[in-house]
Amino acid sequence: MNRWLIVSLCGWAVSYLASRKAYVFLLFFCLFALLYFSLRFSSRRYSLFFLVFSCALTLHNLPAGEPPDGLYTVYEVKKEYCLARNGRHLVVIYEPDAAYHDRFEVRSFQKITSLKNLSLFSFQEHMERKNVSWAAASHQKVSGSGSRKARLYRKIREQDDPFLLSSLYRIHTEDTLFSSLGVPQVTLFSMIERSIRRRKGNGWSRPVSIAIVLLYALFFPFHPACVRFVLVQFSKWMSPDWQLSMIVQMTAYPLLVPGGADDLVLIVPMLFTWIAQKGWTARQERIARLLFLVLLQIVFFSKIDLVSLFLFSCLKTLYAFLFAGKLLGLSFPFLEQLPAGNFLVFDTHPGLLFKGAFCVAIAALLVTPRFRKIAAYSFMSLVVLFASIYCDPFFHVYMLDIGQGDCTLIVEPFKKSAVMIDAGQNLYRDNVEQIIVPFLRSRHIGELTALIATHDDFDHSGGVESLAQHIPIGQVITKRNEPVDVDYPFYSLAPERQAKDENDESIVSYFSYDGTDYLWMGDAGIDVEKQLLEQYDLSGVDVLKLGHHGSGTSSSFGFLMETDPQLALISVGKNNRYKHPHAQVLDSLAELRIDTLMTKEDGMVHLFSWNSIRLFETASGKIGFLKS
C-alpha cells in the first residue's frame, strides 16, 4: 500500500478524534502512529508530515472560546435558527427569518444546552461537532442582505418546496442517505463532467466541472458533497492514480469541513473506491457495496432503507434530473412522486459490540483482498446486531433525560418485560413525542408490561395518556397496593402510610435483579423516608434515585447514611426554576462519598447487569462499574 496513503489514513483517524474532542485518545493515537512510522519507514518525512497535519487538524477543531459582542454575519440557515460568524467565533442565532449574509448585532451569549439521551439526537453535540458552543441570548438584526444567495434563498423559502429546501439548504425534518450524500447536486455535476470528458477528454472535463461547481457556490450554499467533488476532480486532473485521490480527500476534506471526518459524503465514496480496487468480479463488488451500505445506514441512521439499498443507482439519476429541472423552473410531476427514502425494514440502535464488529469489517476491507473473508466479517456484524436486539441477556435500567421531570425504563433480559416508572411531560416540549416514544422504538420496545405513575404531578404522570395512544400498556399503576406483573422482585414500599401532601403519596418502588437492589423514591419527602426506615432494612440498596429531584424536602442525611447506596441518581432539568438539586443534599452526598449522576450534567443514565457484571454509562460519556 502507498506509504502516503497509510499516513493519510492515520491523519483521517486524527481528524475524527479531534472532531469528537477525544483529546486523550488523540494523544495516545498520535504517539502510537509516530512510533509506527519511525519503525516502519526509513524516511522521517512521513512522521513530520503526520505531526504537522495532526497539529493543524487539532487546532482547526479547537473551540474559539467565548465570543465577543459585536456584528455577526449569517453563513448557514436552518428552519428555526441560523449560524453566524465574527472572525473565528461561531454562534447560533434563533432567528427563523434570517437569510444568508444577514448581519446581527449580538449583545450577550449563553452556552448551548440540550437534552442528552442515548441513541437520540442531541442539538448540543451536533453543534459542538461544528465548533459552535454558544448561542445568542440577545440579538438584533442590523441589515438584511441583498446578495444573490440571500435573494434566492428567500424566494425558494417562500415557495416552500421540500425537495429544493432539502437539496440546496439541507433543511429537512430527518436526514436520509440521499440528503447526507448530496445526491442531486453531485450526480448532476458528475453527469456534466462525464459528458464533457466524452467530447473533450480529461484535460477539459476536470477544470470545467470544478469551475461549474464554484459558479454554483455563488448562488447556493456549498454542500459538503460539493467540497469532496471538487477535491476528487482536482486530484484526478493532476493524476489518474486512485490512491492520490484518496490521499487528497482524507487530508483536505477535514480541514475544509470542520467535524467532517465521519461524514457519509467522505466515507461512502472512499469505501466504494477501495472496493473497486480489490480486483473482484462485478457481482462481488455489488454485494460488497450492498453490505457496507447496510452497515453504514445502521451506524448513521439506526435504520435500514430498502429504497436507498436497491434503487440507489436508478433514483440518483432521476433526482439529478428533478433537481436540474427545478433550478430551471421546469416541472416534472411524475418525478416529484419519487420516494425520498425512509422505506424501512426496522429501526435499530447499534450497541458498542456491534460497532466493534463493524470496525473489524472495515479493517478487513482495508487490509485483505479476499472477498469471502470481508463478506464473513460484514455478515458477522449483522449477526451481532440482531443478537443484541433480540437475544440481549442484560437487565437494563434507563433514567431518561426529559428535563425537569421523571421517566425511567426497566427492561428484563430478552425483553421478557418492560416497566416504566413515570412519564413526565413539559409545558414547552412534548416529551412523549420527542423523547420517550423515539427511545422505545430505538430499543425495539413494542409494548410496556406496566407503567407506574408515582403520583399526580404533571412532571411525573403528565404523559401517561399520550403514551398509551402510541404503545400498548399492560398495566397502568396509580395506587401503592397494586402489584407489578413481573417475575423478579418488584415491590411498592409502605403502601399504608401517613402522607401530608401529594408528593408524600408517591409510589416508592424497590426492585432487585442480578444481586443489585434499586430504590426509586418518586417525590416522597423526609417524613416518608422516616417511615420507610422504620418498616424496612434498606441498608442493601445499591442504586438510589433521590426523591423530588434532589430537593431539600427529601434525601435527609440520615436516610442517605442508612441506605448508603453505591450510586445516587437525580433526574433534574438544567437551570430549573426550583433550584434543584438543593446544595444541602449535594453536600450530604459528598460527605458520605456517594457517587452521584444528574441528568442535567450527565444526560441519560443507563445501568445494565448480567450476573456479577454490573455497569453504568451516561449520554455524556461516563462509564463505570458497580461493586458486586
Side-chain angles (χ1 to χ4, degrees), residues 590-617:
E591 184 176 346
L592 294 169
R593 297 184 179 180
I594 298 173
D595 293 330
T596 305
L597 297 174
M598 296 184 283
T599 53
K600 74 171 186 175
E601 295 178 355
D602 304 298
M604 173 188 284
V605 179
H606 173 208
L607 305 108
F608 50 108
S609 63
W610 180 29
N611 294 325
S612 60
I613 301 174
R614 307 190 301 175
L615 308 97
F616 69 83
E617 64 173 338

Side-chain angles (χ1 to χ4, degrees), residues 474-495:
Q475 295 176 274
V476 176
I477 296 174
T478 58
K479 298 180 180 179
R480 293 192 296 271
N481 57 3
E482 293 183 71
V484 181
D485 187 19
V486 293
D487 292 335
Y488 57 94
F490 202 120
Y491 308 106
S492 174
L493 300 188

Side-chain angles (χ1 to χ4, degrees), residues 205-436:
S205 67
R206 307 299 184 187
V208 170
S209 61
I210 292 173
I212 290 173
V213 177
L214 295 178
L215 181 64
Y216 166 87
L218 295 177
F219 299 91
F220 304 103
F222 222 43
H223 193 286
C226 297
V227 176
R228 193 200 65 83
F229 180 84
V230 169
L231 293 175
V232 170
Q233 298 307 316
F234 177 78
S235 62
K236 290 185 176 180
W237 185 22
M238 297 294 101
S239 169
D241 185 7
W242 70 273
Q243 292 188 344
L244 175 64
S245 177
M246 296 276 280
I247 291 168
V248 169
Q249 292 177 64
M250 285 188 289
T251 53
Y253 185 86
L255 286 171
L256 296 172
V257 182
D262 59 346
D263 282 356
L264 279 175
V265 162
L266 181 64
I267 292 176
V268 171
M270 286 201 309
L271 285 179
F272 283 7
T273 300
W274 213 290
I275 289 170
Q277 305 304 318
K278 289 293 184 178
W280 298 336
T281 65
R283 181 171 176 270
Q284 288 175 331
E285 284 189 16
R286 285 196 299 271
I287 294 173
R289 290 194 187 101
L290 184 65
L291 280 172
F292 280 103
L293 271 180
V294 170
L295 294 173
L296 289 169
Q297 283 195 75
I298 293 170
V299 170
F300 283 87
F301 305 110
S302 297
K303 58 187 67 174
I304 295 179
D305 182 347
L306 284 178
V307 171
S308 300
L309 286 176
F310 297 107
L311 300 177
F312 187 81
S313 298
C314 175
L315 284 176
K316 71 178 185 179
T317 303
L318 294 176
Y319 277 128
F321 280 115
L322 178 60
F323 178 68
K326 283 182 174 290
L327 288 182
L328 296 173
L330 304 177
S331 178
F332 301 99
F334 70 98
L335 289 180
E336 295 183 14
Q337 304 303 315
L338 290 172
N342 290 338
F343 180 67
L344 307 178
V345 177
F346 61 88
D347 289 347
T348 183
H349 175 67
L352 189 60
L353 188 60
F354 169 80
K355 289 181 179 178
F358 170 66
C359 290
V360 170
I362 296 294
L365 177 66
L366 299 179
V367 300
T368 178
R370 296 182 180 178
F371 172 77
R372 289 185 179 180
K373 183 175 288 189
I374 294 169
Y377 284 131
S378 302
F379 184 72
M380 179 190 70
S381 299
L382 294 175
V383 170
V384 170
L385 174 67
F386 281 98
S388 66
I389 295 173
Y390 300 108
C391 306
D392 184 359
F394 283 88
F395 178 77
H396 298 274
V397 179
Y398 303 94
M399 183 175 72
L400 277 67
D401 181 11
I402 62 168
Q404 186 69 14
D406 267 11
C407 182
T408 298
L409 177 66
I410 305 160
V411 184
E412 203 174 351
F414 306 106
K415 294 186 176 62
K416 186 177 179 182
S417 68
V419 177
M420 183 171 286
I421 302 177
D422 285 326
Q425 274 288 34
N426 188 287
L427 293 174
Y428 308 103
R429 176 186 58 250
D430 190 336
N431 286 334
V432 172
E433 289 277 357
Q434 298 181 29
I435 302 172
I436 299 176

